[in-house]
Amino acid sequence: MALSKKLALVLAFGLAAGGASAADLRIGLQEDPDILDPDQSRTFVGRIVYASLCDKLVDITPGLEIVPQLATGWSWSDDGMALTMTLRDGVTFHDGTPFNAAAVAANIERSQTMPESRRKSEVKSIASTEVVDDYTIKFNLTAPDATLLAQFADRSGMMVSPTAAAEMGADFGLTPVCSGPFSFKERIQQDRIVLEKFADYWNAAEISFDSVPFLPIPDTTVRLANLRSGDLDMLERLAATDLASAKGDDGLIIEQAVSLGYQGITMNLANGERAKNPLGQDARVRKALSLTIDRNVLNQVVFEGAFAPGNQPFPPTSPWYDTRFPVPERDVEAAKALLAEAGYENGLEIEIQVTNNPVQMQMMQVVQAMASEAGIDIKLVAKEFATLLKDQSAGDFTASQIGWSGRVDPDGNIHQFMTCNGGINDSKVCIPEVDALLDKARVSTDMAERKASYDAAREILIEELPILYLYHVTWIWALDDKIAGFVPYPDGMIRLEGVSFTE
């Protein structure tokens, strides 16, 4: 569809919704989220919606400290085998179900046992829950788990109504019921998700908006045009190429935060029949593809230097980065030699799926051009983001350009992707030694010991390349200048406590 036509369609929606009151905060999203069930979902934009819909046991500060949310306090047993949490009194779910220790226990059981749950690996250290009293719960562990609080600061800690979850089962995400500042009102796929203020929210005094419509607009140019025209109030992930222009606009406020995550290419190593291709079956081909890519040039050409080149699940600025394996230099001749060694001296064709937004398409077109110089012919298949994820989970892909928004604890950037039974191990890489190392890193609270385990795992994985890491983004938000109180967080979420329109 031509840009002008797409712009007209989006503006038409803005005019149709032009009756929105001053207390409606319209947020432009880069993609449409997948299912709105914290146990089943996996999209970054879904987490942005959850920040307004589903409170968690704990949250983070911009400085990445763990702080109370639904849990007001916690303590570990001396042996690290139990975590006891005190819960907030006076909280109710959007359907009137009371929030208490029994509700937390039901949420953990759902995460661990629901067949569709993607949270199983995140909470597998919990052997049992013990309801001490209405507002005290104890988690008994199979082994010490240094990651558990960080897991509770994300989807594993998002509390859903046990009543609604029991009634809806796997269809809970169609009409989600949580306990956050806004309740679910409606969803029209690829068009909008609308939340409305929950009058009985425990922290309602900090919430200033009557409703929050989330509008998925994959085209970054259209999204920014809608913000400038007044049909959006803010957007997430402003394109780096638009940063200078947006900063020069007196009607906009720009906020930034370095992310915790990465962007890369996930390879299908053993996820069904489509793994049976040169890229999936031979690490030399994957290494050759990596060597064709100049990550610094990629950052400069596509992102105008705003992002950080990368080759690991942690950015080079992270204390968890393994400095023994710096971002590799481009080496086309070495790539050709590896391809010849693997039996592809005359080159080969590979398919990579990519989400259908202009920025990711441009980035992969640059990768495509670079790879062609070594005889790797990349066929790009553009898909809507939720479809791309669905196909990736099902194994209906050869390789997939996709990212991860990142987690506070390093475990969240690697364990569930690289362990044999990891909840989002779509490549189906399975190396028992890596499992042992990553499991070991989970049980220690000593940073040096944990880093040694991660480094040993990376030494193996950097040879296998189930994920080819490319770069680490900087989150960029653009807001109408009438918005006050917005605080940027490195997890990329939009927290609306204390945010309001100026008079």
Side-chain angles (χ1 to χ4, degrees), residues 1-9:
M1 183 182 292
L3 176 60
S4 59
K5 188 174 180 182
K6 292 199 313 193
L7 179 58
L9 284 174

Side-chain angles (χ1 to χ4, degrees), residues 150-333:
Q151 302 290 10
F152 285 162
D154 205 330
R155 279 177 285 215
S156 292
M158 292 176 187
M159 296 291 106
V160 306
S161 165
T163 304
E167 290 175 356
M168 297 291 290
D171 291 331
F172 173 86
L174 299 177
T175 52
V177 181
C178 294
S179 66
F182 296 87
S183 61
F184 179 80
K185 182 179 180 182
E186 67 170 341
R187 179 176 192 176
I188 299 175
Q189 293 286 150
Q190 306 300 327
D191 185 70
R192 63 184 180 271
I193 296 169
V194 181
L195 308 183
E196 56 188 355
K197 185 175 181 178
F198 179 47
D200 295 327
Y201 184 55
W202 62 270
N203 197 24
E206 290 295 310
I207 304 301
S208 299
F209 305 108
D210 294 324
S211 76
V212 183
F214 292 92
L215 310 175
I217 306 173
D219 191 305
T220 55
T221 302
V222 174
R223 202 158 67 247
L224 180 57
N226 274 255
L227 177 64
R228 283 175 158 151
S229 69
D231 291 311
L232 289 176
D233 300 304
M234 68 180 299
L235 60 84
E236 56 92 16
R237 279 180 290 178
L238 177 76
T241 49
D242 290 327
L243 182 57
S245 170
K247 281 185 172 180
D249 191 326
D250 292 339
L252 300 180
I253 298 170
I254 304 301
E255 298 284 1
Q256 299 181 96
V258 177
S259 80
L260 304 170
Y262 59 81
Q263 287 282 332
I265 301 173
T266 295
M267 312 291 185
N268 186 349
L269 271 58
N271 193 350
E273 287 297 310
R274 294 204 60 188
K276 296 176 181 178
N277 65 81
L279 196 63
Q281 300 303 299
D282 197 325
R284 291 171 297 186
V285 177
R286 299 192 290 274
K287 286 185 196 175
L289 175 59
S290 180
L291 283 168
T292 68
I293 301 169
D294 190 320
R295 290 159 172 83
N296 288 297
V297 168
L298 196 68
N299 180 39
Q300 293 297 329
V301 169
V302 183
F303 307 114
E304 298 192 0
F307 296 167
N311 67 322
Q312 298 181 32
F314 324 115
T317 54
S318 168
W320 303 102
Y321 187 81
D322 190 342
T323 56
R324 297 175 302 162
F325 303 103
V327 175
E329 296 291 331
R330 186 180 193 229
D331 192 334
V332 174
E333 293 307 312

Side-chain angles (χ1 to χ4, degrees), residues 52-63:
S52 295
L53 180 66
C54 300
D55 273 2
K56 302 165 291 190
L57 290 174
V58 295
D59 201 6
I60 61 169
T61 67

